Amino acid sequence: MKRKRSQIRDHQAEARLFTSRAIVAFVFIIAMMLVLIANLYNIQVNQYQDYKTRSNDNRIKVVPIAPNRGLIYDRSGILLAENRPVFNLEITPEKVKNMDKTIAGLRAFLDIPEERVEAFERDRKRTRRFKSIPLLTQLTEEQVAVFSVHQHKFPGVEIAANLKRYYPFGDVLTHVIGYVSRINDRDMRRLIREEKDSNYQATRDIGKLGIERYYEDILHGTAGYQEVEVNSRGRILRTLKFVPPIPGKDIVLNLDIKLQLKVHKLLAGRRGSAIILDPNDNGVLAMVSSPSYDPNAFVNGISGKAYRALLDDKNRPLVNRATLGIYPPASTVKPFIAVGALEEGVITTKTTRNDPGYWRIPNSKTRPFRDWLRWGHGKVDILKAIEESVDTFYYQIAYDMGIDRLSKWMMMFGFGDYTGIDIYEESKANMPTREWKMARHRTPWYQGDTIPVGIGQGYWTATPMQIAKATSVLVNRGEVLSPHLLRATINNGDSFDHQVLAEVDSRPPITGVQENYWDIALEGMRLVNHGVKGTARRAFKNMPYHSGGKSGTAQVFSLAEDQEYNAEELEEHLKDHALFTGFAPFKDPKIVVTVVLENAGGGSSNGAPVARQLFDLALLDEKSEEE
């Protein structure tokens, strides 16, 4: 009986324990369900917007759309830079499982150079995985057809149609227009620094040189985008929103391509440059640097071998000699110095000096500075000094003016500074001063340093564009205008006739100069071309119009005191540079011409004949076309 009662008590205890455990379990389940419901509420209600955004980010993608690049025209509406459709073989890394196997498979039936594969791998490292990268560009129709047959074997590989920049005139305009090429890391860092990178998300090319680089912001345009719905594999299902890109503006240059072609042909086979300006506004009508190279090779991706060949070319085709070529300006500067010397009172309109063929610093035993004419020019005034390019007359002017006043005046004409032309590839060259020599050579300025500066030699260097600008300042009697290539812009969709003219950049003018001082310098230049003893009279004989000019012969090395210059005995790279600058017609100038021919010899014998041809090309051919 006791045993039975004990069993009943045990059973009751177990029942109570089970009941308590069941209640605890039930309470725990209820609590967990409440937590689950609370969490579901939090997710579905409180965090609904956040998870909706995340879902949309996976489901909806914003795809940037590159704008069409603006076109470039010459002043007459002839297309200088256009956009042509091309077909590229592109790979999206995100969609390819085995890249090496894919590329090897493509190379089995497509001729893909190793350099292109290497370029693809470089681009792949700095490009997001979901963006396509070109493996082979400018596919032929045959290549497109061959790939289309095998396309099903290569997921993530496709043929994309793009607009590619094309320059129909090739090397004729390279140093003016420049070119576009693929955006590299340095370009991207600059875009990020300037906070422009968002506008280039879909753009692959950017202006690298010349007009293309200088007016990149105008030509590029504004990127558009489309919101698309995609599936789990990234395939686009539908477009939700589309914002079209805004194409870049077209631009019109002051260049006359017909004249540019003629000048380019004239300089073919020579090392040098030629510039033709319109002195009324300093618009650049022609600017040629020779030799040149085809920019289309850079647009399409130049091979390493071809680029090295350009770098190693001793004729330096990559250098724009018109704005980066640095030469002693030689005697081309004598008319400009004359204006400063007259205004400073160093000489007068009646000053005369005897020229025995040499000049020596007063009260010194230094070697004499020689004139180009060994026996001298006899009695010389300022007009004769310009006409016959009398060195000794200018040695004395330099001595009397001193380097401080001389450099001050020449800086007003634009030497030693950027001309303001609208391309970045430009040098200041050097207008020497006391401060410059101390900073550069750690030695003071000596009186003997000033004398060769008086004939555009010594430490003085200039670019052809600086000489052309200074000639324009003289023609315009002190008005200083920057040479410029841009004539106008055309808003997207407008016709060529609806041009928005660009403003001309002007600098502080040279004021206070007596009018007759300008007249004397200009008349001296007229006598250079048409005077009885003008240094360039042979080249300008029998012209149907009058012009003004000044030749210059820039020494490449200094002669010893008893050494005679003999061009026939010198290696070509040691021969003098031939320079010439001038304007025409004389009474109402329409053009300014500046020519520099490297290692060509005397300016009057070699530079002047080329300048004469340029005058005729620009003025006589223009009249014949009008008739």
Side-chain angles (χ1 to χ4, degrees):
M1 190 70 177
K2 289 181 179 179
R3 184 177 177 182
K4 187 175 182 181
R5 289 176 181 172
S6 176
Q7 289 177 344
I8 292 172
R9 285 196 297 269
D10 291 342
H11 178 74
Q12 289 175 342
E14 289 177 358
R16 286 194 297 271
L17 180 62
F18 175 79
T19 302
S20 61
R21 287 179 177 178
I23 292 171
V24 171
F26 180 75
V27 171
F28 179 76
I29 292 171
I30 294 298
M32 290 298 100
M33 288 184 66
L34 290 174
V35 170
L36 179 60
I37 291 170
N39 193 39
L40 287 173
Y41 179 84
N42 184 52
I43 292 173
Q44 295 290 337
V45 179
N46 294 340
Q47 298 184 35
Y48 167 76
Q49 195 62 43
D50 182 44
Y51 283 102
K52 180 183 178 183
T53 302
R54 292 188 186 184
S55 175
N56 284 339
D57 286 344
N58 293 329
R59 182 177 63 90
I60 299 172
K61 283 190 175 182
V62 177
V63 181
I65 305 172
N68 291 339
R69 195 171 182 85
L71 306 177
I72 302 177
Y73 297 92
D74 89 328
R75 64 191 299 119
S76 301
I78 298 174
L79 205 55
L80 307 180
E82 59 183 297
N83 301 319
R84 288 188 173 181
V86 295
F87 296 98
N88 299 332
L89 185 68
E90 299 186 354
I91 301 178
T92 305
E94 189 179 51
K95 300 177 181 179
V96 177
K97 293 182 179 180
N98 189 323
M99 187 63 72
D100 294 336
K101 183 178 179 182
T102 297
I103 292 177
L106 291 169
R107 297 185 77 178
F109 58 86
L110 288 176
D111 182 17
I112 305 176
E114 187 61 34
E115 284 188 347
R116 286 302 311 155
V117 177
E118 293 172 359
F120 171 82
E121 291 296 342
R122 287 195 300 269
D123 292 340
R124 181 184 168 194
K125 291 177 182 178
R126 57 176 179 247
T127 305
R128 295 180 181 179
R129 286 182 54 79
F130 61 82
K131 294 184 71 174
S132 62
I133 305 169
L135 175 63
L136 190 61
T137 59
Q138 291 192 304
L139 272 66
T140 64
E141 292 183 1
E142 182 180 352
Q143 288 174 318
V144 171
V146 169
F147 174 76
S148 298
V149 173
H150 299 274
Q151 186 171 7
H152 65 281
K153 303 176 185 177
F154 301 97
V157 184
E158 61 183 359
I159 291 177
N162 299 303
L163 289 176
K164 204 74 173 176
R165 205 59 153 179
Y166 179 72
Y167 304 102
F169 293 98
D171 63 348
V172 175
L173 290 167
T174 305
H175 293 112
V176 178
I177 293 180
Y179 57 83
V180 299
S181 190
R182 190 165 181 81
I183 295 175
N184 56 31
D185 292 340
R186 184 172 59 181
D187 297 323
M188 187 52 66
R189 286 194 295 269
R190 177 174 61 82
L191 290 171
I192 293 172
R193 187 171 61 250
E194 297 174 357
E195 298 182 351
K196 298 176 181 177
D197 54 305
S198 61
N199 198 33
Y200 282 79
Q201 291 300 312
T203 302
R204 288 178 174 163
D205 295 329
I206 194 170
K208 298 286 187 175
L209 289 175
I211 287 292
E212 291 278 28
R213 181 186 173 199
Y214 195 90
Y215 291 111
E216 172 66 27
D217 291 346
I218 294 176
L219 290 165
H220 179 262
T222 304
Y225 68 92
Q226 60 177 344
E227 290 183 0
V228 296
E229 185 177 2
V230 298
N231 61 16
S232 59
R233 295 185 178 182
R235 185 182 297 276
I236 295 175
L237 301 177
R238 59 174 175 149
T239 300
L240 304 176
K241 185 177 180 181
F242 178 76
V243 176
I246 302 173
K249 292 181 180 180
D250 298 339
I251 65 176
V252 182
L253 303 184
N254 281 301
L255 281 178
D256 181 341
I257 186 58
K258 294 180 181 178
L259 184 59
Q260 178 85 3
L261 286 165
K262 293 172 184 176
V263 178
H264 182 267
K265 183 178 180 180
L266 184 62
L267 289 188
R270 306 174 191 244
R271 293 191 310 276
S273 62
I275 299 163
I276 302 178
L277 303 179
D278 179 353
N280 293 305
D281 64 355
N282 264 16
V284 181
L285 302 177
M287 184 175 80
V288 173
S289 175
S290 178
S292 184
Y293 59 96
D294 186 358
N296 292 302
F298 285 84
V299 176
N300 301 320
I302 190 169
S303 67
K305 182 179 179 181
Y307 186 58
R308 283 191 297 272
L310 288 173
L311 286 174
D312 296 339
D313 191 331
K314 65 178 182 180
N315 292 320
R316 301 187 303 160
L318 293 173
V319 176
N320 181 359
R321 287 170 160 83
T323 56
L324 290 173
I326 298 175
Y327 315 89
S331 295
T332 61
V333 300
K334 289 177 179 176
F336 317 139
I337 294 176
V339 173
L342 287 165
E343 185 59 34
E344 289 289 338
V346 171
I347 58 172
T348 68
T349 56
K350 297 180 180 180
T351 298
T352 59
R353 294 192 176 110
N354 182 59
D355 169 34
Y358 63 90
W359 182 91
R360 181 178 276 114
I361 296 175
N363 303 317
S364 75
K365 296 182 180 180
T366 58
R367 70 181 180 91
F369 293 87
R370 294 183 294 183
D371 193 280
W372 68 269
L373 191 62
R374 186 187 305 174
W375 49 86
H377 298 266
K379 188 177 181 181
V380 179
D381 63 5
I382 184 60
L383 280 176
K384 186 175 181 179
I386 298 174
E387 176 185 2
E388 299 183 30
S389 197
V390 181
D391 292 336
T392 58
F393 194 90
Y394 280 90
Y395 292 148
Q396 186 67 49
I397 286 179
Y399 175 79
D400 291 337
M401 284 189 77
I403 190 58
D404 298 328
R405 288 191 291 178
L406 189 55
S407 61
K408 181 195 74 172
W409 272 95
M410 293 305 97
M411 286 177 180
M412 286 193 284
F413 276 91
F415 291 102
D417 197 4
Y418 297 118
T419 64
I421 189 170
D422 41 353
I423 56 175
Y424 290 116
E425 301 78 48
E426 184 181 19
S427 171
K428 287 184 176 181
N430 182 52
M431 185 67 235
T433 62
R434 297 178 189 276
E435 295 75 19
W436 168 84
K437 189 184 178 190
M438 180 58 71
R440 178 70 175 80
H441 296 284
R442 304 299 185 202
T443 57
W445 187 270
Y446 299 111
Q447 201 171 45
D449 296 331
T450 308
I451 310 309
V453 174
I455 61 166
Q457 298 281 173
Y459 293 119
W460 190 356
T461 59
T463 67
M465 187 59 74
Q466 287 177 333
I467 298 172
K469 178 182 178 180
T471 306
S472 173
V473 172
L474 184 63
V475 166
N476 288 307
R477 299 170 181 269
E479 185 181 5
V480 182
L481 300 173
S482 297
H484 59 283
L485 291 157
L486 182 65
R487 179 182 180 85
T489 58
I490 302 174
N491 292 322
N492 177 249
D494 289 350
S495 66
F496 186 79
D497 296 331
H498 290 79
Q499 299 179 18
V500 180
L501 295 178
E503 293 184 5
V504 179
D505 178 34
S506 61
R507 305 290 176 91
I510 302 175
T511 57
V513 177
Q514 294 185 38
E515 196 69 17
N516 65 317
Y517 294 165
W518 297 113
D519 292 336
I520 288 172
L522 293 169
E523 175 61 17
M525 294 180 75
R526 187 191 69 81
L527 292 173
V528 168
N529 290 359
H530 306 288
V532 176
K533 293 186 177 181
T535 54
R537 64 188 184 280
R538 291 183 178 85
F540 291 89
K541 186 168 57 176
N542 300 324
M543 287 185 77
Y545 54 88
H546 271 203
S547 62
K550 187 68 194 75
S551 60
T553 303
Q555 294 180 354
V556 176
F557 70 99
S558 299
L559 293 171
E561 185 174 354
D562 57 348
Q563 184 180 3
E564 293 294 332
Y565 179 85
N566 189 337
E568 295 180 357
E569 295 179 356
L570 293 175
E571 295 181 22
E572 185 181 4
H573 72 279
L574 294 177
K575 293 181 180 179
D576 294 338
H577 302 314
L579 292 80
F580 192 91
T581 191
F583 59 92
F586 180 75
K587 289 187 177 180
D588 183 21
K590 292 183 178 178
I591 59 167
V592 165
V593 166
T594 298
V595 177
V596 177
L597 302 177
E598 293 182 4
N599 309 119
S604 57
S605 56
N606 296 285
V610 174
R612 163 67 188 273
Q613 293 180 71
L614 294 177
F615 281 133
D616 290 345
L617 288 174
L619 298 176
L620 298 185
D621 286 13
E622 178 184 298
K623 289 182 179 179
S624 63
E625 288 177 6
E626 290 176 355
E627 293 172 358

